[in-house]
Amino acid sequence: MEVVKNIKNVVVLTKLHNTVFEKVDSLNPSKNIVALKKAANILKNNGLVAFPTETVYGLGANALKEDAVKKIYIAKGRPSDNPLIVHIADKNDIYPLVDSVPKNALILMDKFWPGALTIILKKSSIIPITTSGGLDTVAIRMPNNKIALSLIKECGFPLAAPSANTSTKPSPTLATHVYKDLNGKIDMIIDGGSCAFGIESTVVEVFYDNINILRPGSITKEMLETVITNVTIDKAITDTNLNLLPKSPGMKYKHYAPLGDVFIVDGEINNIVHYILKSLKNDKENNIKSIVIASSETINNYSSFNTLNIGSRQNLNLIAKNLFNTLRECDNLNIDKIYIESFLEQGVGLAVMNRLKKAASYKIINV
Ligand code: TXA
Ligand code: MG
């Protein structure tokens, strides 16, 4: 991987790479041990391999090697101050990576690992500063996906892995999404089918008597409260005042955005439908290619316009699973304007709305 241009703190890759694409059985990865060994070999040589997790696809590199990790930032066009999550295959593998493991972290690991929970702790000296984006803390997670776990074990070292998309684009929930963004920029893509959750892990900071959610995800506040009494949600998530500096650096950048302009329409459901219908009609008259991302309960209202069904309002987990693919579909259809109905900010709905608000650059129309 060569020839880079420096634009502020983002390095852009210009030279193409030969990307290998291999399918691996998600239920029994050992059936494809040759492909897994090939991937591990690439990673041992400081290369980049995209692999599935239960949340989204990750772009993996040896978390302990500066030279390997640097390539992740280049391939994604990711700002260098946005730290990476370090993935491990065994709970005990956390100890060499951090200063100490406080009691609340042990409780969380015991209840939620392997799973979609990322824990932030003070880093040990073996974590390069490039992995932690310049911070003295490190984010760690043990994924609940057989391919990811087998790959990490095969490597024998932890894998730094952000979502395997180009920076600013929706996260990948299928190997074809990774291919679209990163073909020619990374060494290998492991295709393990679709990701079970489709939305990234919950990121938490751990303190002596509380934990603080920096990024909502599929492990909800309510789930965390079953084992920790004091769970807070960081102000940067609940407050849409963009001047608030997020503690999770990734949350300050443009994110999850399709090429078209996204508008969230919020309010009572009949008002939402009425407003979107009026806007779609208006766009049609003005030759603007627009679409509505609607729930299965409301989609029939829009039958004379472009629609994408994101799933039933009764099943927010399904909406989370469909979210990024639906946003990517808008790009495939060359859509200029995207209207999306808002969802309840409850349970996993908090994570869904958090990603949507970012995709919409906080353009929310209250009706
Ligand atoms: O589900 C996931 O978490 C996926 C899969 C691949 O594991 N990974 C993922 O990584 O979403 P990424 O890099 O796209 O998002 C990591 C988030 C960013 O918002 C980043 O700023 C935050 O975690 N983060 C990482 N290390 C941090 C730290 N030390 N302190 C605060 N935030 C941190
Ligand atoms: Mg990401």
Side-chain angles (χ1 to χ4, degrees):
M1 227 189 280
E2 282 168 58
V3 194
V4 291
K5 273 191 292 197
N6 229 321
I7 307 168
K8 286 193 183 155
N9 56 353
V10 181
V11 183
V12 179
L13 178 77
T14 51
K15 191 169 178 185
L16 289 188
H17 219 75
N18 181 26
T19 307
V20 179
F21 196 94
E22 296 264 5
K23 280 199 168 116
V24 172
D25 189 309
S26 59
L27 297 177
N28 188 3
S30 58
K31 273 191 195 162
N32 304 98
I33 189 69
V34 175
L36 282 177
K37 282 195 185 294
K38 191 193 277 183
N41 238 349
I42 291 170
L43 292 160
K44 284 174 189 168
N45 286 300
N46 292 348
L48 299 183
V49 176
F51 61 94
T53 81
E54 79 279 35
T55 58
V56 299
Y57 273 75
L59 178 58
N62 185 341
L64 308 181
K65 288 282 183 331
E66 184 102 35
D67 285 348
V69 162
K70 270 184 187 157
K71 293 178 185 166
I72 289 181
Y73 289 89
I74 296 171
K76 278 181 62 88
R78 181 176 175 107
S80 57
D81 65 346
N82 189 3
L84 308 172
I85 296 175
V86 175
H87 296 68
I88 56 177
D90 186 296
K91 289 179 194 173
N92 287 322
D93 292 346
I94 192 173
Y95 291 97
L97 309 177
V98 297
D99 219 25
S100 66
V101 183
K103 185 160 167 269
N104 275 341
L106 281 173
I107 294 172
L108 293 172
M109 287 157 60
D110 198 44
K111 173 81 179 172
F112 297 107
W113 280 7
L117 182 71
T118 296
I119 298 176
I120 296 181
L121 294 172
K122 281 264 174 303
K123 77 176 194 71
S124 75
S125 59
I126 69 165
I127 300 284
I129 206 82
T130 315
T131 301
S132 66
L135 300 176
D136 63 356
T137 52
V138 62
I140 302 184
R141 148 168 136 83
M142 179 181 172
N144 189 13
N145 175 288
K146 286 186 178 171
I147 297 176
L149 293 171
S150 310
L151 180 63
I152 301 165
K153 278 186 195 143
E154 199 60 49
C155 287
F157 47 76
L159 293 180
S163 49
N165 52 291
T166 298
S167 243
T168 80
K169 289 279 150 210
S171 297
T173 55
L174 291 169
T176 48
H177 298 160
V178 183
Y179 184 86
K180 188 153 190 214
D181 281 15
L182 298 177
N183 182 37
K185 296 184 175 178
I186 64 175
D187 299 293
M188 181 170 176
I189 299 169
I190 297 177
D191 181 355
S194 70
C195 299
F197 291 130
I199 207 155
E200 304 93 334
S201 63
T202 306
V203 177
V204 295
E205 336 175 73
V206 177
F207 300 105
Y208 181 72
D209 49 19
N210 74 303
I211 63 167
N212 186 34
I213 301 175
L214 297 185
R215 179 177 73 179
S218 33
I219 307 276
T220 63
K221 179 172 188 272
E222 294 78 0
M223 289 159 80
L224 294 166
E225 280 167 343
T226 61
V227 288
I228 307 274
T229 329
N230 190 354
V231 182
T232 50
I233 300 178
D234 203 65
K235 276 208 173 60
I237 296 165
T238 45
D239 202 323
T240 43
N241 174 0
L242 289 176
N243 295 323
L244 256 181
L245 197 65
K247 286 195 215 152
S248 182
M251 301 309 267
K252 77 183 174 214
Y253 292 109
K254 183 178 173 188
H255 245 317
Y256 315 116
L259 296 171
D261 233 357
V262 181
F263 298 86
I264 299 172
V265 186
D266 188 23
E268 205 266 308
I269 195 70
N270 291 326
N271 294 346
I272 294 179
V273 172
H274 181 77
Y275 178 88
I276 294 179
L277 271 176
K278 199 177 70 186
S279 308
L280 292 167
K281 264 185 212 146
N282 199 39
D283 291 341
K284 207 173 198 175
E285 280 159 22
N286 290 297
N287 284 322
I288 296 168
K289 195 166 179 195
S290 60
I291 201 164
V292 54
I293 297 178
S295 52
S296 36
E297 286 84 1
T298 53
I299 197 143
N300 288 339
N301 292 292
Y302 310 107
S303 51
S304 44
F305 299 99
N306 294 320
T307 57
L308 284 169
N309 189 341
I310 194 166
S312 166
R313 291 181 170 276
Q314 306 301 316
N315 188 351
L316 284 169
N317 283 318
L318 182 66
I319 288 177
K321 187 173 158 115
N322 291 337
L323 177 66
F324 291 134
N325 188 44
T326 310
L327 289 175
R328 281 179 175 265
E329 197 50 35
C330 295
D331 281 357
N332 298 338
L333 299 167
N334 282 316
I335 300 290
D336 298 318
K337 247 178 168 182
I338 302 153
Y339 301 95
I340 179 152
E341 301 173 347
S342 70
F343 297 96
L344 262 187
E345 284 179 282
Q346 251 170 33
V348 78
L350 183 68
V352 168
M353 285 307 290
N354 168 264
R355 305 311 191 270
L356 275 182
K357 284 176 190 170
K358 288 175 162 292
S361 300
Y362 294 89
K363 293 191 295 300
I364 304 168
I365 299 160
N366 291 297
V367 291

